[in-house]
C-alpha cells in the first residue's frame, strides 16, 4: 500500500514502471512482468520517485518510523535487490541513507545536489551521485512551527519551499545553506505548485495564483 504516484523510468536499458510501496518497491516492464524489487521502506510511502544522472531515486519518510530511507538505484537490476541490515550500497543500489527521507514532500535534484524538505520545516542537502552529506538539516522557519506538505521547486539558482501557512522560503542553491528571502500568501497552502511554460501555478485554500514574468521583465 502507498500514497506515492508510480513513475515511468526510461533508462539506458529499458522503460520501467516503478511502484513504491511500504513492504516492497517493485518495477515492472511494459507488459506487467516483474523486473526487480526491494524492501526496507517506512510504513507510509508518499514521495514520488524520479530519475537523474542515470539513477532512480526512491524514498519514504514516515515521521513515526525509525527507518526513513532514501535509495539511489542503478538500471539493469533483476530479482530481489534488498540490502542486508549492514549494507548501504550494492551492485544495483548506488547509495542509500537510512534516515534522510521526507514524509510528504518529494525530494528535489537541482544542479549536483539532492535536496530534502522535511515536514517540520528543515532542509538538507546531499551529493546526488554519491549520497554524501553536503549540509545537515537546517531550519527554514526560525519564528514558528508551520508544517510543509508541498514539494520544493527550483529556478534561477534558488530553491523554493512553500509552507502550509503560505510562506515561500527562498534558499540559495549550492553547497552552503543560505536563506535569502521569504514571500507570504497568508493562506493555507498544501498542494505542490505546478510549473507550466514560464508560469508558476499556486493553489491555496481559496485562490489560484499564476506567477509569471511581465512584458517589462518584472514579476
Amino acid at each position: 500500500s502507498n500514497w506515492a504516484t508510480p513513475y515511468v523510468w526510461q533508462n539506458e536499458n529499458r522503460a520501467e514502471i516503478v511502484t513504491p510501496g511500504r513492504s516492497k518497491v517493485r518495477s515492472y516492464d511494459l507488459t506487467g512482468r516483474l523486473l526487480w524489487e526491494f524492501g526496507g521502506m517506512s510504513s507510509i510511502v508518499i514521495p514520488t520517485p524520479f530519475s537523474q544522472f542515470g539513477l532512480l531515486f526512491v524514498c519514504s519518510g514516515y515521521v513515526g518510523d525509525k527507518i526513513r530511507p532514501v535509495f539511489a538505484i542503478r538500471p539493469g537490476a533483476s530479482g530481489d535487490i534488498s540490502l542486508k541490515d549492514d549494507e548501504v550500497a550494492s551492485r544495483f543500489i548506488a547509495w542509500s541513507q537510512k534516515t534522510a527521507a521526507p514524509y510528504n514532500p518529494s525530494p528535489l535534484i537541482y544542479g549536483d545536489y539532492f535536496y530534502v524538505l522535511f515536514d517540520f520545516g528543515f532542509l538538507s542537502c546531499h551529493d546526488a551521485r554519491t549520497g554524501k552529506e553536503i549540509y545537515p538539516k537546517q531550519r527554514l522557519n526560525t519564528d514558528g512551527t508551520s508544517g510543509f506538505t508541498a514539494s520544493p521547486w527550483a529556478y534561477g539558482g534558488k530553491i523554493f519551499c512553500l509552507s502550509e501557512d503560505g510562506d515561500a522560503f527562498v534558499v540559495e542553491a549550492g553547497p552552503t545553506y543560505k536563506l535569502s528571502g521569504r514571500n507570504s500568501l497568508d493562506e493555507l497552502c498544501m498542494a505542490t505548485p505546478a510549473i507550466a511554460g514560464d508560469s508558476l501555478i499556486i493553489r491555496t485554500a481559496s485562490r489560484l495564483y499564476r506567477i509569471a514574468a511581465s512584458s517589462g521583465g518584472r514579476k
Side-chain angles (χ1 to χ4, degrees):
S1 63
N2 69 12
W3 295 89
T5 303
Y7 177 69
V8 178
W9 183 23
Q10 182 67 60
N11 57 57
E12 61 189 35
N13 296 328
R14 60 201 176 193
E16 306 182 28
I17 302 171
V18 180
T19 57
R22 68 179 192 175
S23 297
K24 294 281 187 180
V25 175
R26 284 179 167 165
S27 178
Y28 301 88
D29 68 15
L30 300 186
T31 70
R33 179 176 62 91
L34 179 64
L35 296 171
W36 52 262
E37 63 182 9
F38 68 86
M41 301 285 271
S42 68
S43 58
I44 298 177
V45 182
I46 296 177
T48 299
F50 61 94
S51 59
Q52 183 66 292
F53 306 131
L55 299 172
L56 171 74
F57 296 88
V58 185
C59 65
S60 61
Y62 175 49
V63 293
D65 290 350
K66 292 182 179 179
I67 301 298
R68 301 180 299 278
V70 176
F71 297 95
I73 312 298
R74 296 187 181 100
S78 62
D80 190 339
I81 61 170
S82 300
L83 293 173
K84 298 177 181 178
D85 290 342
D86 59 345
E87 290 182 324
V88 296
S90 65
R91 178 184 176 190
F92 290 109
I93 297 182
W95 61 266
S96 67
Q97 295 281 352
K98 290 187 176 180
T99 58
Y103 179 33
N104 278 295
S106 296
L108 169 73
I109 287 181
Y110 189 58
D112 294 324
Y113 302 113
F114 180 90
Y115 297 93
V116 173
L117 172 62
F118 295 88
D119 290 61
F120 294 141
F122 293 86
L123 186 72
S124 71
C125 178
H126 290 76
D127 184 292
R129 293 178 176 87
T130 67
K132 177 184 176 182
E133 184 176 83
I134 302 301
Y135 57 74
K137 291 181 181 179
Q138 304 291 319
R139 179 176 287 280
L140 293 168
N141 188 2
T142 58
D143 58 359
T145 57
S146 175
F148 288 75
T149 302
S151 299
W153 69 99
Y155 171 78
K158 295 177 172 56
I159 310 297
F160 298 86
C161 305
L162 180 63
S163 77
E164 292 178 0
D165 285 344
D167 295 321
F169 294 86
V170 185
V171 177
E172 298 294 324
T176 302
Y177 176 80
K178 180 182 178 182
L179 181 67
S180 62
R182 178 174 174 176
N183 304 297
S184 298
L185 294 173
D186 297 321
E187 189 174 11
L188 177 67
C189 296
M190 297 186 72
T192 299
I195 297 171
D198 63 352
S199 299
L200 180 71
I201 310 299
I202 299 177
R203 177 166 62 88
T204 69
S206 67
R207 293 178 175 86
L208 186 66
Y209 293 89
R210 174 178 173 264
I211 301 172
S214 68
S215 57
R218 299 182 64 185
K219 296 184 184 294

